[in-house]
Amino acid sequence: MRYLPLTETDRSDMLGVIGVKSIDELYIDVPTSAVLKGLVDLPNAQGELEVHRHLQKLAEKNVPAGRTAFFLGAGAYRHHIPASVDHLIQRSEFLTAYTPYQPEIAQGTLQALYEFQTQVSMLLGMEVSNASMYDGSTACAEAAMMAARVTKRKKVIFSGGVHPHYLQTARTACEALGIEIVAAPAAIDDEAAVLKLLDDQTAAVIVQSPNVFGTITDLSPIADGVHARGALMVANFTETVAFGLIESPGAMGADIVCGEGQSIGNALNFGGPYVGLFATKEKYIRQMPGRVAGETLDADGKRGFVLTLSTREQHIRREKATSNICTNSGLCQLAFTIHMTLLGEAGLTRLAQLNHEKAIQLADALAKVKGVKVLTERFFNEIAIKVSKPAQDVIDALAAKGVIGGVAISRLDPKAGMDEVIMCCATETNTDDDIAAYAAALKKVLA
Amino acid sequence: MRYLPLTETDRSDMLGVIGVKSIDELYIDVPTSAVLKGLVDLPNAQGELEVHRHLQKLAEKNVPAGRTAFFLGAGAYRHHIPASVDHLIQRSEFLTAYTPYQPEIAQGTLQALYEFQTQVSMLLGMEVSNASMYDGSTACAEAAMMAARVTKRKKVIFSGGVHPHYLQTARTACEALGIEIVAAPAAIDDEAAVLKLLDDQTAAVIVQSPNVFGTITDLSPIADGVHARGALMVANFTETVAFGLIESPGAMGADIVCGEGQSIGNALNFGGPYVGLFATKEKYIRQMPGRVAGETLDADGKRGFVLTLSTREQHIRREKATSNICTNSGLCQLAFTIHMTLLGEAGLTRLAQLNHEKAIQLADALAKVKGVKVLTERFFNEIAIKVSKPAQDVIDALAAKGVIGGVAISRLDPKAGMDEVIMCCATETNTDDDIAAYAAALKKVLA
Amino acid sequence: MNFQTVSGNKGLQQAEGLIFEVGHHEATGVDLPAPKGGKDRLGGLKRKSALDLPGLTEPETMRHYVRLSQKNYAIDLGLFPLGSCTMKHNPRLNERTARMEGFADLHPLQPISTVQGAIELMDQLSHWLLELTGMPAVALSPKAGAHGEFCGMLAIKAALAARGEDKIRTRVLVPSSAHGTNPATAVACGFTVDEVPGTADGRVDIAAMKAKLGPDVAAVMVTNPNTCGLFERDVKTIADLIHEAGGYFYCDGANYNAIVGRVRPGDLGVDAMHINLHKTFSTPHGGGGPGAGPTVLSAALAPYAPLPLITVDLTAKSGRSVYSLAEHPEEADDDLKPFGRMCAFHGQMGMFVRALTYMLSHGSDGLRQVAEDAVLNANYLLARLSGHYNAPFGQGPCMHEALFDDTNFKAEGVETIDFAKALLDEGYHPFTTYFPLVVHGAMLIEPTETEPKRELDRFAKVMISLAERAKSGDTAFFKAAPKLAPVRRLDETRAARQPKLRWRPEAATESV
Amino acid sequence: MNFQTVSGNKGLQQAEGLIFEVGHHEATGVDLPAPKGGKDRLGGLKRKSALDLPGLTEPETMRHYVRLSQKNYAIDLGLFPLGSCTMKHNPRLNERTARMEGFADLHPLQPISTVQGAIELMDQLSHWLLELTGMPAVALSPKAGAHGEFCGMLAIKAALAARGEDKIRTRVLVPSSAHGTNPATAVACGFTVDEVPGTADGRVDIAAMKAKLGPDVAAVMVTNPNTCGLFERDVKTIADLIHEAGGYFYCDGANYNAIVGRVRPGDLGVDAMHINLHKTFSTPHGGGGPGAGPTVLSAALAPYAPLPLITVDLTAKSGRSVYSLAEHPEEADDDLKPFGRMCAFHGQMGMFVRALTYMLSHGSDGLRQVAEDAVLNANYLLARLSGHYNAPFGQGPCMHEALFDDTNFKAEGVETIDFAKALLDEGYHPFTTYFPLVVHGAMLIEPTETEPKRELDRFAKVMISLAERAKSGDTAFFKAAPKLAPVRRLDETRAARQPKLRWRPEAATESV
Ligand SMILES: Cc1ncc(COP(=O)(O)O)c(C=O)c1O
Ligand SMILES: Cc1ncc(COP(=O)(O)O)c(C=O)c1O
């Protein structure tokens, strides 16, 4: 087998050194009844060519986004990722390293982490960031739990614009801990509704901007209301690129910012792996979940980086840890860092502008189609549209025409009462032809 | 521009240090009439996304071999290359290094070269190998010229089984030097015909095995005849994998062995870049063309590798060099080395057996088709077939059916008088379905 | 050889500052068309201040990260015997298949008709996992091992709730040797943790466990093979005991590599077990992730598996199977009561592709060989090193990892960390240090099956020579290590006491 | 810090033997189905003896070559100022496009209808090259620069033959500063070489050239910008003179990077010029190739361009252009007389894809900027270093490379090679040493346009400090260099005197 270096001679030599006659003797502790006699009923080993073919066949049963006119966002975004990003993250030294437990021989990973934490902090207008969470949805759940720890309160309020999957994820996690989740009804543009749900038991209010309907919201007045009640303001997001153009959550009063970083550096990958971003204020770092890299000095007084503040973490604190997270999103975080380094402020700003312009172009093109109403007024690169037929049917009909027109809100949240609403997204990858194709196809479908 | 790091500030600072006012002053030596006023009439810079799209569009105007039932060889072979090969050759340290002129910081390249030279020598049954030529055809031309240098004679005889492109390449190169090329008529299986053309002016006889018609030949009797006349025996090949199964040219008396190494480690790439293999006897090394790596010691007595015997080369010997070659096929040679290391003797032997079995299967399947005659009797993985219609028409008709059935000999050599002969090849990449599809399509085309 | 260069480089070892020191906020490595510049629709929420994010052109970016990369150790450089982490070779075919356009360029919310191959792949992966583990159900979505634990324990909680016992059964038994994620997970699920001591031979103390059982016990979380690298001989008793007590058996499957293809957890009475695809099934660790932690569930827990659920309709008119996803409780079969959702979308698809590629490559026979070679390699090191290092739980056999400690060197004051740092100079990533916590000064060595004997022999030679050196009393040598790594020993206390978690202009230290 | 480790590694620097020492002839990293084992059709020519080729499994192979790779310097690690070599950044987009299935998985002899995009790409590349150079024809097939020279000189020979003068005109003038490939190529074409001396300011001596002209002169081969990094001011005179004398002007275009987009060789009277796609157009050097040397030809030489020729039919029924290849003389237009074939198939397609990707990325404006920044960077180094190193041809301006020599350090006995080796310790690839030959102890520095000012400043600082150190008389320091590279200074004489060009079992030395 091409991945197994021991030869039969090695094996018998080694058994000899160990002092046993057969490998079976090494499994002596396994109850005999549990030792499989034969092989598990699965196919035997195959060569690269055969395996490649198998996977290729499966892959070809899918329709890649890039082969369609593609307008789907809602938590995952199709952006162009420079070729150099994937080249770099595939370097053996990054790809096949573990979590940097031995910092002296992991300075590459650690310095990149430190750069990531700084980039994320700058981007979100926050003081500190951790070293990544699994994804945006779990970061959001962690934010809710952290707020409960910080405030010692047990209720978290979600705005009606939070991505339904995020809400569901947070609900699953929080309810196990006895944290009550109160969710405002789904609404295109009413984040401020959370203020009406606020009380003195509230640990945090979680608001998403741009929200799942694309609407961007000024968080400042909400944050003021939240802070007045002694609760934490948590800002959530799914599209990192937005912060190239809109005000940072930190500047608008957020105490914790959480969201999805996939947009930068990471392909769609059918939903994972992605990279959760998590930033907060310095005063809360001891309650922050997840790993964090910090600067220090070596024995010669030279700068170096290490994982630090590990007394928050499961491997040191065990049942008192701030989270059970261990492995996070290392390589996705590295991809983020590299792509963000390539962009820089100049590139990110321009990228964001382009996305916004494409979305305006899309909104205007769709608005002209009979049976379509654009619902989102203030947006970055996503808009909600109302169509004159059931949204899911429209999406399916569009797909048959080579247009992935977005997602029906009913798919994300069947109880939202928005069965005719579609979320669409435009990015720099959409051409004028794509937009024209969408409008034309939609016209036919709605006719 | 994303690849140009100088900022406008840098540029003006640097002009200041240099002491000129503008970049134009640095071009002062260019005749003013030759300085372009404006830009060359070509499109301006584009982003990665746009350029990627442009190339993607061109790529999609082609039919990749892997999307067809594919049976084309004749000097370039479709083998499966393990994913790790491409991963390794893309490592920055290999990809973006120059020729190892500074050996102390090029031991990676040099050790791999030394490994390559040893592998090639072992494989071909020769004493030494150089560090690669451009490709098989130019290696063959170099062999002819080297033989002329060694023997101080000016005639080289080619067998009728040498790949026509190789013959044409060697003719172009040799005639410029006044070396006469005598080519035996194209023949499926008559390498020994060269013996009739042999005389005392002959510097070398060049025989290909497996030849362009797939025929394998025992070189020993030919070599004996050649040596008896004081000429050199040159063995040429296009399919390296063959030597996993058949006797090496070195073992059959060759003085110089040249050929194409693409089969191992290198994709089809529409004909290039490939890697020329070139091996000879120790006594001829001072007449060998191209670079060569050798072992030596460093100042601490530690083993290391350097480029050596450079007194044969253009950069030292200039007009007295054995060849004008400078840049060769470094990275393709590395791919060869890595793939060969993965294979090892065990893998190569099995690969060769599989290829041979597939070719037998193909020959038998095609032989059953009415209007087809298999011409090649002793073969490795290629056979010539005679069809009942003009070969080129058959090839085109097959292509329309998704079968790339080989190449018409008339395309390689319109004057061969073999207008109904097709060269076909089978490798480990061909499935039973492919072979059945070929036979079925051929049946229809010839009906 | 120890001179100071002018550049700060040392031969091929390149010095490199932070991007904030070498980059520039006007520089960029990405060219984009100029925006048209019409009126925005941001409703006045346009950013007002600069971000100050530095950029680098592509050549500078390449150089920056290539230079950084060379300051890392990695499997591809050598043995990475980090116990409990299963740092095996990451086949490159897996990287290639994961990047196929038909997987990588697929949005999780595309119409189901356009992602049939993706769901089929998830279904195939499930099939492999279920056949290998002998379990009836699997939740694919957990994003790492700890997330899988969370999934399994939430399923247990849901099952208890269905029995009306979730308010009563709140205690979870966790052996003292458990990985930190186990107690942390139990607590994250609202349980309390009750630690079960171990025996002198490194297993769960059955008597002690028995004593702790009671009507308030929800589950036991046992790692098997355990974190001492040993198979829990009494695993069936553990299962029987917890089941008799009305609780569930959570098995931490991080060490599944030792038994894959040879022993099925389903045959041991396990109710839930996560599988780290990034360990046993070789998806790359990537310097800290991403991972994937599919969690297999027993019949008792299967109904509570979280969303989404894969459904296959084999009866479609086309004759082909039609795949779909139940993304909401109402879309699930009537007998299923999903406890919720672990994360947005459907899990770590990129890892699923790699893991399935790995499984198909090895096949049933190859996977069994994986386990056997992993165990053989570990026992070989156990045998080679036993005379030199103390093996707290005896001469074995062990499973996939060999456990030692530093008691032999108490007198000389050479501790586990010192051996670890000395190994850095020898060009090795050290073993796992100070884990499991039940062994003082633990050194947990997991070579994995992808190490040739040659590499093990060289490692053993180095380890033995270090033991001899320690014994010789050359303590200073160890305390001064590492000397040849990219940096000297780093001050972790300083980092924790004066946390500097990001670069700031004013805090900028000199570029190194 | 200079202790001997047991492993032979030094921290992250891994020792690694040859595959013949670590591998095994039964080991393999490739799994293939078992052969069926029927009767062969080899006619008795089956191999009789073992090859003894060692194999390695994939994990061992990865490790072997990753370890080796880290013993290399590369552009991605730092400045690579190797004069005449144009070691610029290699964009990774180019690697991606070259690997597109529609290019990489294409056989050169596929039916023309199935490779329309490939030929169109070659046609587009030709268009870019012709527009940029202002020339009417191009031969794409040459496989590197020297092969392009060969192509151009053969075209000249063919043109002379057509005039019936090939037997008469056998002398080629080559300046003494020329690259070794120039005289070697001339001789390979059957010409004799007559060296033209240079002037004190580093250009072709026009008077001397004039004196050498005559009815037997076939051509002059001039590099422009030349190998001293200077533009041949009198290039038009050179062209006029050779043309008047009935010969042709071959221009070595290796240094085209300095003028791309700003000056068109076609406007200078050039008859033939090769372009190293692996220099100006950034296809990676790959540790020694592959390259590509398309050769542009003047109207006088165009008819003799070698096969294959691209033909485009714009009048097809479909309205789309139809591309084809003339592969034999009879398939070429009547007015064309191809002189032959440079190689099998159609040239370095992989390089064509990369080069076109590069051109499209930069565009007309970006390519001009390339030239200007390359020249600016070189002049900046010329200015920064001029006080410290002797610039044999004065203070410039130079083109894309700055030429110095070691005359300042004669007294101290520090030579060019010593500076080169000292740079290795400083983490730099040295400049080109001892070329061009016309300058004793030449140091030819070509930074290229992809270097940021920051890197140039650091390099200048290092160079200046080395000059000062040399001046201070610390000659021993230089002679002992390198000390920090993976090996110490290697004995090249020994290698040449006792050539060991391959590993042999009996010759095996200890693994290092
Ligand atoms: C025994 C054990 N359990 C659980 C985990 C947690 O897995 P992950 O890091 O994937 O969350 C680990 C991994 O470090 C482990 O070793
Ligand atoms: C001036 C000059 N001419 C010709 C060549 C030969 O080019 P190649 O190495 O591509 O054959 C080179 C490259 O080294 C060169 O610098």
Side-chain angles (χ1 to χ4, degrees), chain A residues 98-99 101 134 291 314 324-328, chain C residues 83-85 143-149 177-182 223 225-227 252-255 274 276 278-279 285 291-293 435:
Chain A
Y98 201 74
T99 302
Y101 288 150
Y134 301 134
R291 295 200 172 104
Q314 48 74 26
N324 72 334
I325 193 169
C326 179
T327 295
N328 56 28
Chain C
S84 210
C85 299
K143 295 205 157 236
H147 210 221
E149 295 174 27
S177 62
H179 191 262
T181 49
N182 292 186
T223 308
N226 71 23
T227 60
D252 181 328
N255 295 337
H274 75 265
N276 306 61
H278 47 301
K279 298 185 178 178
H285 278 263
F435 176 82

Side-chain angles (χ1 to χ4, degrees), chain B residues 98 101 134 324-327, chain D residues 84-85 144-147 149 179 181-182 223 227 252 254-255 274 276 278-279 435:
Chain B
Y98 202 74
Y101 288 150
Y134 301 134
N324 71 337
I325 194 169
C326 179
T327 295
Chain D
S84 212
C85 299
H147 209 222
E149 295 174 29
H179 192 262
T181 50
N182 292 185
T223 309
T227 61
D252 181 330
N255 296 336
H274 74 266
N276 306 61
H278 47 302
K279 297 185 178 180
F435 176 81

Side-chain angles (χ1 to χ4, degrees), chain D residues 322-340:
Chain D
V322 173
Y323 294 87
S324 51
L325 289 172
E327 296 177 300
H328 298 282
E330 47 273 36
E331 294 164 6
D333 284 355
D334 285 348
D335 51 339
L336 302 180
K337 302 168 194 65
F339 68 70

Side-chain angles (χ1 to χ4, degrees), chain A residues 30-37, chain C residues 236 267-268:
Chain A
V30 179
T32 353
S33 63
V35 177
L36 287 179
K37 298 286 163 311
Chain C
K236 288 195 155 184
D267 296 337
L268 302 172

Side-chain angles (χ1 to χ4, degrees), chain B residues 2-5 11 14 23-24 27 29 33 36 38 40 42-46 54 61-63 65-67 73 76 78 86 90-99 102 104-109 111 114-115 117-119 126-127 137 165 168-169 172 176-177 216-217 243-247 268-270 272-273 294-300 302-303 306 308 314 318 324 328 330-331 337 341-345 349-350 353 356-357 360 364 378-379 411-412 414, chain D residues 17 19-21 28-29 32 35-37 41-42 45 47-48 51-56 61 64-65 68-69 72-76 85 87 90-92 99 101-102 104-107 109-110 114-118 120 124 146 157 178 180-181 185 187-189 203 233 236 258 262 285-290 327-328 341-345 348-350 361-365 368-369 371-373 375 377 421 449-450 486 488-491 495-496 500-503 509:
Chain B
R2 60 191 179 276
Y3 305 134
L4 300 177
R11 291 189 185 111
M14 292 164 78
I23 189 78
D24 294 335
Y27 282 94
D29 290 327
S33 64
L36 287 180
V40 175
L42 287 164
N44 277 342
Q46 294 182 72
H54 182 110
K61 291 184 185 173
N62 301 316
V63 181
R67 304 280 160 176
R78 186 165 193 271
D86 195 45
Q90 282 195 71
R91 278 186 62 82
S92 290
E93 296 88 336
F94 287 132
L95 185 77
T96 76
Y98 202 74
T99 302
Q102 291 290 336
E104 294 87 356
I105 54 168
Q107 286 298 298
T109 295
Q111 181 169 332
Y114 192 76
E115 292 176 351
Q117 291 170 190
T118 309
Q119 285 173 330
M126 299 299 286
E127 289 168 353
S137 67
H165 281 192
Q168 292 156 30
T169 302
T172 301
L177 272 181
I216 47 182
T217 298
F243 301 116
L245 202 55
I246 69 173
E247 196 53 272
L268 288 172
N269 280 325
F270 198 52
E295 186 184 317
T296 188
L297 300 176
D298 78 355
D300 288 341
K302 214 174 109 181
R303 178 174 73 185
V306 294
T308 191
Q314 47 74 25
R318 302 178 69 84
N324 71 337
N328 55 28
L331 209 65
T337 306
T341 299
L342 281 165
L343 285 166
E345 176 149 4
T349 305
R350 184 171 272 208
Q353 280 168 334
H356 186 50
E357 290 187 358
I360 292 176
D364 292 349
R378 300 178 312 285
F379 56 85
R411 177 161 174 198
L412 294 174
Chain D
I19 47 170
F20 312 97
E21 294 155 355
T28 183
L32 293 163
K36 298 188 189 116
R41 301 209 193 150
L42 301 170
L45 287 169
R47 183 156 53 73
K48 282 165 204 81
L51 293 171
D52 281 333
L53 273 173
L56 287 171
T61 305
H64 180 74
Y65 290 103
L68 288 193
S69 76
N72 271 4
Y73 192 83
I75 305 174
D76 283 353
C85 299
M87 289 296 279
N90 303 135
R92 286 324 189 271
R99 283 169 177 79
E101 188 188 12
D105 193 21
L106 224 53
H107 190 290
L109 298 175
Q110 277 183 217
T114 67
V115 295
Q116 287 293 302
E120 185 177 350
Q124 290 186 7
K157 192 154 189 169
T181 50
T185 298
V187 168
C189 293
R203 272 97 176 171
R233 277 187 215 110
K236 288 194 155 187
R262 263 195 85 107
H285 278 265
E327 296 177 300
H328 298 282
R341 176 175 270 285
M342 296 301 299
C343 57
F345 314 127
Q348 307 285 68
M349 182 66 174
S361 294
H362 283 83
S364 185
D365 51 346
R368 187 185 172 102
Q369 191 70 54
E372 294 180 359
D373 284 359
V375 168
N377 275 352
K421 300 302 178 193
E449 72 283 0
T450 59
R488 303 287 310 279
R489 206 180 289 201
L490 287 159
D491 187 345
K500 269 201 199 175
L501 309 184
R502 59 174 288 192
W503 178 87
T509 51

Side-chain angles (χ1 to χ4, degrees), chain C residues 87-258:
Chain C
M87 289 297 279
K88 60 171 70 176
H89 172 61
N90 303 135
R92 287 323 188 272
L93 176 63
N94 308 2
E95 295 305 305
R96 181 173 286 182
T97 55
R99 283 168 177 79
M100 285 176 176
E101 189 188 10
F103 298 132
D105 193 21
L106 224 53
H107 191 291
L109 299 175
Q110 278 183 215
I112 295 296
S113 63
T114 67
V115 295
Q116 287 294 302
I119 309 178
E120 185 176 350
L121 183 143
M122 290 166 67
D123 192 53
Q124 291 187 4
L125 178 72
S126 300
H127 178 71
W128 277 80
L129 291 173
L130 296 180
E131 285 294 320
L132 287 169
T133 57
M135 301 283 281
V138 61
L140 291 184
S141 61
K143 295 205 157 236
H147 210 221
E149 295 174 27
F150 193 41
C151 175
M153 293 305 284
L154 287 176
I156 289 172
K157 193 156 185 167
L160 291 172
R163 283 157 50 183
E165 295 187 53
D166 56 324
K167 300 282 175 305
I168 308 157
R169 293 189 177 268
T170 55
R171 197 156 47 94
V172 170
L173 306 185
V174 181
S176 48
S177 62
H179 191 262
T181 49
N182 292 186
T185 299
V187 167
C189 294
F191 295 114
T192 57
V193 171
D194 194 359
E195 209 169 274
V196 183
T199 60
D201 72 346
R203 271 95 174 173
V204 174
D205 182 333
I206 300 293
M209 174 184 158
K210 240 186 218 162
K212 286 179 183 280
L213 287 171
D216 62 332
V217 168
V220 64
M221 294 182 86
V222 172
T223 308
N224 191 29
N226 71 23
T227 60
C228 302
L230 303 171
F231 196 90
E232 290 288 350
R233 275 186 218 111
D234 299 320
V235 57
K236 288 195 155 184
T237 313
I238 293 173
D240 291 345
L241 286 173
I242 188 73
H243 288 153
E244 278 159 26
Y248 294 95
F249 181 4
Y250 187 89
C251 179
D252 181 328
N255 295 337
Y256 182 51
N257 200 51

